Amino acid sequence: METLRPKRTLGIAGAAHALHDGCTDLIYVLLPLWQTEFGLGYGALALLRGVYAGSMAALQVPAGRLAERWNGRAVLACGTLFTGLGFVIAGSTGSVWGLCAGLAIAGLGSSTQHPIASAAVSRAYGSAGRGPLGVYNFSGDIGKAAIPALMSLLLMALSWQLSLGLIAGLTVALAVVIAVWMPPIAPATAAAEKRPRIGGGRGGFRLLLTIGILDTGVRMGLLTFLPFLLRDKGAALPTVGLGLALVFVGGAAGKFLCGWLGARFGTLRTIVVTEGGTAALIFVVLAAPLLPALLLLPLLGMVLNGTSSVLYGAVPEVTLPHQSQERAFALFYTGTIGSGALSPVLYGALGDAVGPVWAVTATALVALTVVPFAFALAPRLER
């Protein structure tokens, strides 16, 4: 039975990662509907996305500390329940303010997932945790592909309010599974004794975080406008959902492939390829008709999401010996998710000023600015 506990922990943590990340990204499918129903501009739509991501980012570290003092499994279950409650509120009030309140509550609930679920997997496997943590990270990308696609199918038969209610039902069911079947999370002290400490050069973490913030901003800015770009190319709502699913499927493959490439060819070369490829493919998708653009979306998703797997893997290399890896990961998640909250608002305001095409062009240019930071970071990483 003891040998099954880590596998059960990984399975439930992976399910939580998939559902929470999927719930975060299904918002992109709903943006065109909210624009029509509430008469919102791109900046206001990006702000709605930012409300969810902002509340999730702001509470990453507090959620981790709460789990250290209380039962982490209970905190994760309650957070998952709050995500479902937030979606119910968002779909039932009928107003923009109610929608904002619901998204804020849902984001608050989702803030518990990353610090608690990743720590649960790490502590369950100890020094053998790198592989299971890779599976856990990959499960989030599966959710990003599956949940938005499920929402698109539901929207073909139901209103967005009822569709969001059904997704909320899934989160409530998962909260019950976490509370009843997830094994207790090992204390931090026991896990720390099993994990080797890795040091890095001073300033390396700041450079890595800067790259993560810029990379996340490019990804979230592009995804905010992608539904509108596809719509303007003639895509119906189900096709928009398909396009997003293609990006997320490509992103899942990219996270797996680029993690391997980073280990084999180095962080610098991988980042240069992914960020340069992201910029190039954004320009091609902007210029292409609908069908060729759809065919290119999986490849765009691979390079768009591939950098993140390299960056997460480099966090231990730039963590100083006297620092906690858990705290370093929490700060890195806070910075990147915070970028995911703020950057769509900035790109949305730019879209209102100059149009969505130029706003997406700006994301490609920002992707290219990551490359000099990667060259500065490379000497600070262990070979």
Side-chain angles (χ1 to χ4, degrees):
M1 183 64 67
E2 286 295 324
T3 59
L4 296 178
R5 290 165 69 91
K7 293 181 179 179
R8 186 146 48 98
T9 297
L10 177 59
I12 296 177
H17 197 186
L19 188 58
H20 279 279
D21 276 19
C23 287
T24 301
D25 284 355
L26 68 81
I27 293 174
Y28 295 119
V29 180
L30 296 172
L31 290 179
L33 296 176
W34 291 342
Q35 183 185 51
T36 301
E37 182 163 336
F38 298 111
L40 302 175
Y42 293 117
L45 289 169
L47 185 59
L48 287 177
R49 172 65 177 75
V51 165
Y52 187 104
S55 62
M56 183 170 61
L59 294 170
Q60 292 279 314
V61 174
R65 290 179 176 174
L66 184 64
E68 291 175 2
R69 295 186 179 185
W70 292 354
N71 186 324
R73 178 177 56 184
V75 175
L76 179 58
C78 289
T80 305
L81 188 64
F82 263 77
T83 299
L85 174 64
F87 280 161
V88 170
I89 294 173
S92 61
T93 60
S95 69
V96 174
W97 293 112
L99 182 59
C100 285
L103 291 177
I105 293 172
L108 183 152
S110 286
S111 69
T112 62
Q113 186 274 131
H114 279 121
I116 298 176
S118 58
V121 174
S122 177
R123 293 170 187 169
Y125 284 89
S127 60
R130 284 188 178 272
L133 278 172
V135 174
Y136 162 78
N137 283 324
F138 181 74
S139 67
D141 292 279
I142 298 299
K144 290 178 181 181
I147 301 298
L150 174 61
M151 174 60 76
S152 297
L153 292 175
L154 291 174
L155 289 171
M156 296 176 66
L158 303 172
S159 67
W160 70 264
Q161 292 91 341
L162 288 175
S163 300
L164 201 57
L166 290 176
I167 300 296
L170 287 178
T171 66
V172 172
L174 179 59
V176 173
V177 169
I178 293 170
V180 175
W181 284 290
M182 187 173 186
I185 300 174
T189 53
E193 293 174 355
K194 300 178 182 178
R195 188 189 301 113
R197 303 300 298 270
I198 305 174
R202 186 173 298 276
F205 181 81
R206 289 192 291 270
L207 282 169
L208 188 71
L209 180 59
T210 300
I211 294 173
I213 289 172
L214 293 173
D215 176 67
T216 302
V218 169
R219 185 164 57 253
M220 298 307 178
L222 174 62
L223 290 174
T224 298
F225 285 102
L226 184 59
F228 303 101
L229 292 177
L230 294 177
R231 184 191 65 182
D232 293 344
K233 292 178 185 290
L237 185 60
T239 305
V240 171
L242 172 63
L244 288 169
L246 290 173
V247 172
F248 296 137
V249 168
K255 182 169 285 189
F256 175 81
L257 177 62
C258 291
W260 177 80
L261 289 175
R264 183 172 180 84
F265 297 107
T267 299
L268 173 61
R269 293 177 181 176
T270 306
I271 291 177
V272 170
V273 169
T274 55
E275 297 296 338
T278 295
L281 284 169
I282 287 175
F283 288 130
V284 174
V285 169
L286 279 173
L290 178 59
L291 182 57
L294 287 173
L295 294 176
L296 287 172
L297 289 182
L299 186 58
L300 175 58
M302 288 181 66
V303 292
L304 187 68
N305 208 39
T307 305
S308 62
S309 64
V310 181
L311 299 181
Y312 291 132
V315 169
E317 296 186 43
V318 295
T319 301
L320 294 171
H322 66 275
Q323 293 177 324
S324 163
Q325 287 191 28
E326 287 84 358
R327 181 65 57 86
F329 272 111
L331 290 173
F332 192 82
Y333 274 123
T334 298
T336 55
I337 296 175
S339 173
L342 180 60
S343 56
V345 178
L346 299 177
Y347 284 118
L350 183 63
D352 284 331
V354 299
V357 172
W358 285 107
V360 172
T361 300
T363 67
L365 297 177
V366 172
L368 294 176
T369 67
V370 172
V371 175
F373 287 101
F375 276 96
L377 174 66
R380 303 173 187 268
L381 297 176
E382 294 184 351
R383 295 186 180 275

